Amino acid sequence: MVRRTLLASCAAAASLLAAFGPGAAEIATDSPVATVTTLQQGLIEAAELGGTIEERYRALEALIVATHDLPYIAEFALRRQWSGLAEADRQRFVVAFRRLSVMTYAARFQAVGRGTFRPIEQGNSLDASGRAQVTTAVARADMPDVSLEYLLHESQEGWRIINIVADGVSDLALKRAEYQRLFANGGIDALVVELEAQTERLVRLSIPQK
C-alpha cells in the first residue's frame, strides 16, 4: 500500500519538474546508466538555477522520486520492524524519509557544475539478483575524486537507485544503523521526529546569515 501510494505520487511530481526545472519532461530511467545520467544532469541544472533551498527542493523533488526507489529504501531500513508497523505509521515514516532525501540533495548539491561528475566508467552489468551497478566519481579540487557506486533495481516504472556507495561507504547501511538505533530508543514516533528535525536543520543551515 505504501509503495503504491508513493509511486502514484510520481505522476503528480512529474508536473512539478516541468514547471520548476531541471530537464523538463526528460526523465529517462529505461536503463541503469540512463537513470544515473538523468540524476546527475538534473542536479547540475538545479544548481545552475540557483535560488533558495526550498526552490531547489521543488526543482528536484520529481527527479529524486523518479530516479530513486524511496519506498523500498525506507522499508529496507526498517526491515525488522516493518511488518509490525501500522499502515499509518509506515506512511508517516516514508513521507518524512522522502522529504529528508530530497532536501539532502537540495542542500548538498547546490554547487555542482558541468565538470563535477566524472564520465560513467561502467554500468548495465547485472548481478545474480538482477540488480545493476553504475560506477562514476565526483571531482574535487586539489583532492582525490570521490568514487560513487550506484546500485539499482528494475521496477515497473524503470530502473531506480536503491543505494549509493561513496568511497566504499554504503549510504543504505548508514541509514539502517541510524534508524534502527532511533527506533530502539523511541519507536516510530521518535524516528519520524528525528527525520523531520534533520530536514529542518538542512533548511536552516542553507539560509544565508545576515
Side-chain angles (χ1 to χ4, degrees):
M1 175 65 74
V2 172
R3 180 170 298 186
R4 288 197 296 270
T5 301
L6 267 292
L7 290 179
S9 71
C10 291
S15 64
L16 280 174
L17 191 63
F20 294 108
E26 298 282 337
I27 301 183
T29 60
D30 54 311
S31 73
V33 169
T35 297
V36 173
T37 301
T38 295
L39 170 65
Q40 294 182 343
Q41 182 64 27
L43 292 173
I44 293 169
E45 292 180 11
E48 290 175 343
L49 289 174
T52 66
I53 188 171
E54 289 289 358
E55 289 170 336
R56 290 195 303 277
Y57 178 97
R58 292 194 295 273
L60 287 171
E61 183 175 15
L63 175 72
I64 304 307
V65 169
T67 55
H68 297 66
D69 195 339
L70 297 178
Y72 173 89
I73 298 170
E75 180 178 342
F76 186 88
L78 287 183
R79 181 66 57 86
R80 288 187 297 174
Q81 296 88 0
W82 191 260
S83 61
L85 290 176
E87 184 64 26
D89 288 332
R90 292 179 180 178
Q91 182 70 17
R92 282 198 303 137
F93 171 61
V94 173
V95 168
F97 176 74
R98 168 177 163 164
R99 178 162 170 77
L100 175 59
S101 298
V102 178
M103 194 64 76
T104 299
Y105 272 108
R108 295 182 180 175
F109 288 85
Q110 55 186 303
V112 296
R114 296 290 166 177
T116 297
F117 297 106
R118 298 299 191 194
I120 290 173
E121 299 175 6
Q122 65 183 62
N124 291 336
S125 59
L126 305 183
D127 62 18
S129 65
R131 294 174 176 174
Q133 180 176 297
V134 176
T135 303
T136 180
V138 172
R140 295 188 296 177
D142 302 321
M143 298 180 68
D145 291 354
V146 176
S147 66
L148 292 177
E149 297 175 1
Y150 294 89
L151 183 65
L152 304 92
H153 68 187
E154 190 173 18
S155 69
Q156 293 181 347
E157 291 74 26
W159 285 90
R160 301 293 180 89
I161 296 165
I162 57 174
N163 192 20
I164 303 174
V165 180
D167 275 351
V169 179
S170 166
D171 182 63
L172 183 53
L174 292 176
K175 283 184 170 63
R176 189 171 190 181
E178 178 189 8
Y179 295 174
Q180 292 289 334
R181 175 181 57 81
L182 289 168
F183 194 98
N185 290 334
I188 192 65
D189 291 334
L191 176 55
V192 170
V193 166
E194 176 58 25
L195 296 191
E196 293 172 343
Q198 290 180 17
T199 301
E200 292 308 310
R201 285 197 291 271
L202 287 172
V203 174
R204 291 197 302 270
L205 290 172
S206 298
I207 298 175
Q209 300 298 313
K210 296 182 179 180

